[in-house]
Amino acid sequence: EKLLEWLSVHDIWNNLMNMANVQKSVSNLNDRSISKYHFFYELFSEKKREVWGNKTPQNSENVELLFKLFPESKLIVVTRDVRDVVLSWKKKWGKNPYLVADKWGRRMSGVYDLAQKDDRVLLIKFEDLLEETEDTTKKICEFIGIKWDKKMLNHHKHTENIVDGKINYGKPLKKDNKQKWRSLASPNFVRKVEETAFQGMGKLNYDIAYAKKEKPLSLFYRKYGMVHDALAMLFVGNRAKKNNSMADRISQIVKQIKLRIS
């Protein structure tokens, strides 16, 4: 019961849709030894599914802990060219591009190292998903042990819900949604991004256009970037959302603060 209470506080995005039913079933249990697998499986939804997934980007920072909790789980890391990532996050969220590049570099470098020694980790390039959709989706299906279906090539026709704030959700893949940095970013901007994410780009075999060596962000700039991103949460929010009012942005900030305090 304490765990359920703790989870309800931390479920700020309402992922645990079956919380009420699980609370009822647990309280009626005479046998206290409910399995961990069954417990979490039931939390997500009352629907029965072969595989449950979660695509929170921060999961890549907690892989070892997640594997301890769910040793039979698998991790699929879809990595996108950091130069396109920073442009996307800057446009949508107003994020500091060099802090984004720094996070990308640390996350991708870490999961790359893990993938070399743990067969529960699969690295997929976003660009491969665009260019070789069928082969890449078949590779993913084989990895998680489910049957491939040609419907996956037209996933947008089978999307149940459209999520507000996610620009491409429920839409066809855009084959040209790559290397936008070549036309939208200056050489100096690209060089700084590459220097910040230099190690991760090298490990994942992304061609480096301008940088000659790695230049990590200074402690001062990290702090500056964090202040920048905090202000962006308040004054920018999610530009793709229909409801991106100040009240909505403040509500999201309050949720984050409560989460960190708890």
Side-chain angles (χ1 to χ4, degrees):
E1 289 174 353
K2 288 183 178 179
L3 176 57
L4 285 168
E5 181 182 349
W6 184 88
L7 287 169
S8 66
V9 173
H10 287 73
D11 184 31
I12 60 173
W13 306 117
N14 301 317
N15 287 318
L16 306 179
M17 295 180 287
N18 202 35
M19 178 78 78
N21 289 336
V22 170
Q23 285 177 318
K24 188 184 299 182
S25 64
V26 170
S27 62
N28 292 333
L29 275 179
N30 292 320
D31 180 8
R32 311 286 291 186
S33 60
I34 181 172
S35 76
K36 180 173 62 180
Y37 173 83
H38 177 78
F39 175 76
F40 283 103
Y41 183 95
E42 292 293 328
L43 271 175
F44 292 121
S45 174
E46 60 185 4
K47 296 179 180 178
K48 302 305 177 186
R49 293 287 184 264
E50 237 181 299
V51 177
W52 283 113
N54 182 280
K55 66 179 204 67
T56 304
Q58 289 85 350
N59 283 345
S60 59
E61 297 178 354
N62 300 294
V63 178
E64 293 185 4
L65 176 58
L66 288 167
F67 278 162
K68 285 182 180 179
L69 287 169
F70 309 106
E72 295 182 8
S73 63
K74 294 185 177 182
L75 174 72
I76 301 169
V77 181
V78 182
T79 177
R80 186 183 185 187
D81 190 320
V82 64
R83 293 160 292 196
D84 283 329
V85 171
V86 297
L87 289 177
S88 176
W89 280 58
K90 183 180 179 183
K91 178 182 178 181
K92 184 177 179 181
W93 303 95
K95 297 287 187 178
N96 181 283
Y98 306 119
L99 194 60
V100 172
D102 177 69
K103 288 182 179 179
W104 183 98
R106 287 186 286 108
R107 287 174 177 173
M108 295 304 104
S109 185
V111 293
Y112 173 86
D113 291 343
L114 184 62
Q116 306 312 301
K117 58 184 180 181
D118 197 322
D119 59 9
R120 292 175 295 178
V121 182
L122 175 67
L123 290 175
I124 293 289
K125 282 191 175 182
F126 176 72
E127 294 77 15
D128 291 341
L129 195 58
L130 295 180
E131 296 169 7
E132 303 169 3
T133 308
E134 183 171 338
D135 288 344
T136 306
T137 51
K138 284 181 176 178
K139 184 176 182 180
I140 292 172
C141 288
E142 181 181 0
F143 177 68
I144 59 177
I146 64 172
K147 186 179 179 181
W148 183 84
D149 194 303
K150 64 180 180 180
K151 289 180 181 178
M152 295 177 185
L153 301 179
N154 295 293
H155 70 282
H156 57 286
K157 295 180 180 179
H158 311 283
T159 303
E160 292 181 2
N161 301 303
I162 301 299
V163 179
D164 184 29
K166 294 185 180 292
I167 300 172
N168 297 318
Y169 197 92
K171 295 181 180 179
L173 287 180
K174 296 180 179 179
K175 297 290 186 180
D176 62 346
N177 194 12
K178 58 183 178 177
Q179 297 199 345
K180 292 187 174 182
W181 60 271
R182 293 191 180 277
S183 59
L184 298 178
S186 68
N188 188 50
F189 177 87
V190 173
R191 176 181 57 79
K192 289 181 179 179
V193 170
E194 291 177 346
E195 288 173 344
T196 305
F198 193 84
Q199 190 176 59
M201 290 185 71
K203 288 182 177 180
L204 293 167
N205 292 319
Y206 280 105
D207 292 332
I208 297 175
Y210 300 106
K212 302 298 182 184
K213 60 180 180 179
E214 182 179 24
K215 288 187 179 180
L217 295 182
S218 65
L219 179 60
F220 172 79
Y221 195 90
R222 285 180 191 273
K223 298 296 183 183
Y224 165 79
M226 292 171 67
V227 172
H228 175 116
D229 286 0
L231 292 173
M233 287 181 66
L234 180 61
F235 294 106
V236 178
N238 180 350
R239 291 188 176 109
K241 285 188 70 175
K242 292 179 180 178
N243 177 22
N244 189 30
S245 64
M246 177 64 77
D248 182 68
R249 296 197 293 270
I250 291 174
S251 174
Q252 297 301 325
I253 292 172
V254 170
K255 284 182 178 180
Q256 291 290 342
I257 291 173
K258 284 183 177 179
L259 178 63
R260 292 179 183 275
I261 290 175
S262 66

